[in-house]
Amino acid sequence: MSDTEQVSAKDGGIQVISRAFAVLRALDRNGSSLGALAKATGLPRSTVQRIVDSLAAENVVEIGDSGVRPGWGLQQLAQAGQSIVVQRVRPQLQTLFEATRETVDISTFHGRQVTFLDRIISDQELRVVPFNDRPRPLHAMANGKAMLSLLDDDRIAALLPEPLARLTPLTLTTLDALRKELDAVRREGFSYDREEHALGVCAIGAPINVPGLPPHAISAVMPATRFEARLPELKEALRACRVAMVGALRMP
């Protein structure tokens, strides 16, 4: 094989891997149709079909009546990667907790939902303790908005079809309203949940953007009664935590 042929084969292999990851990122945990995956990734349906068949053969995805959804092989890979992230940033999360004494967390996302990787619960008498069985839609949470701010508008539209689910009277339910807020997140570096996920609860979030890793975010969650007064110090604490976490995750 000539040098040119070797380079061409290498580039082709990289493209296949890139497309496979695009399909995996577009998966919804409850199942996605081939058409939905093609729209979300911008790939031809026939290409998506071939990728899905190959991933299914390795148990990375499962194909059933509800469509294509994550398989146990993907869950094993995700758990291994999440474990590494948690190990590296746990000290910084602990520092954030000590600076705020509020419930703090680091998260990523899967499909349209926030996935918590690690959290520390506030030790204050009046505090927020998240319920594990409550829906965690990206558009209604501070950490979710922080991660969405790292995506382009086309990806967001494919990920979050309208109408957006309303959890409280304050939840954003249109993409136009969400895009305006995400523009502000990109400018300021912080995202907010002002009783959009649960009445009486507010949060501030910040995106964690590290090349080679999926979007992550940190957030501090607290009762609405003390949120606005604490915003200046919360921003300083999250800003310092974000810088420290990015440094830790970039280490070889």
Side-chain angles (χ1 to χ4, degrees), residues 184-185 188-192 204-207 234-236 238-239 242:
V185 177
E188 185 184 356
F190 298 102
S191 55
Y192 305 97
I204 178 174
L234 290 168
K235 288 180 181 180
E236 288 302 316
L238 263 73
R239 185 180 290 112
R242 175 172 53 194

Side-chain angles (χ1 to χ4, degrees), residues 34-55:
L34 292 176
L37 292 174
K39 181 179 179 181
T41 60
L43 297 172
R45 185 187 175 102
S46 59
T47 299
V48 172
Q49 177 73 71
R50 289 195 298 272
I51 292 172
V52 166
D53 288 343
S54 297
L55 294 173

Side-chain angles (χ1 to χ4, degrees), residues 116-156:
F116 290 111
L117 301 183
D118 195 10
R119 66 163 66 118
I120 302 174
I121 303 299
S122 172
D123 56 1
Q124 300 192 61
E125 185 173 353
L126 182 60
R127 59 186 175 177
V128 174
V129 180
F131 290 105
N132 290 330
D133 59 350
R134 184 175 177 82
R136 299 188 294 269
L138 290 165
H139 69 278
M141 302 181 68
N143 43 19
K145 293 177 191 175
M147 290 184 281
L148 287 173
S149 74
L150 300 175
L151 308 181
D152 60 38
D153 285 349
D154 289 342
R155 176 83 189 282
I156 293 169

Side-chain angles (χ1 to χ4, degrees), residues 219-232:
S219 72
V221 190
M222 67 214 69
T225 51
R226 60 175 179 254
F227 181 68
E228 299 296 340
R230 297 205 65 190
L231 267 182

Side-chain angles (χ1 to χ4, degrees), residues 11 13 26 30 43 45 53 59 88 97 109 114 116 123 131 160 168 180 185 193 219 222 241 243:
D11 289 345
N30 295 318
L43 297 172
R45 185 187 175 102
D53 288 343
N59 298 306
R88 289 199 174 190
F97 167 71
F109 73 94
V114 171
F116 290 111
D123 56 1
F131 290 105
L160 301 175
T168 79
K180 290 178 182 177
V185 177
D193 162 13
S219 72
M222 67 214 69
C241 182
V243 170

Side-chain angles (χ1 to χ4, degrees), residues 154-178:
D154 289 342
R155 176 83 189 282
I156 293 169
L159 196 61
L160 301 175
E162 293 182 295
L164 305 179
R166 183 186 295 277
L167 278 70
T168 79
L170 299 172
T171 307
L172 301 179
T173 58
T174 67
L175 283 177
D176 282 346
L178 179 61

Side-chain angles (χ1 to χ4, degrees), residues 10-11 19 21 72 75 86 96-97 109 124 190 215 241-242 245 250:
K10 180 180 178 181
D11 289 345
R19 288 178 170 180
F21 271 99
W72 62 265
Q75 294 170 4
V86 170
L96 178 61
F97 167 71
F109 73 94
Q124 300 192 61
F190 298 102
C241 182
R242 175 172 53 194
M245 281 191 177
R250 281 180 171 168

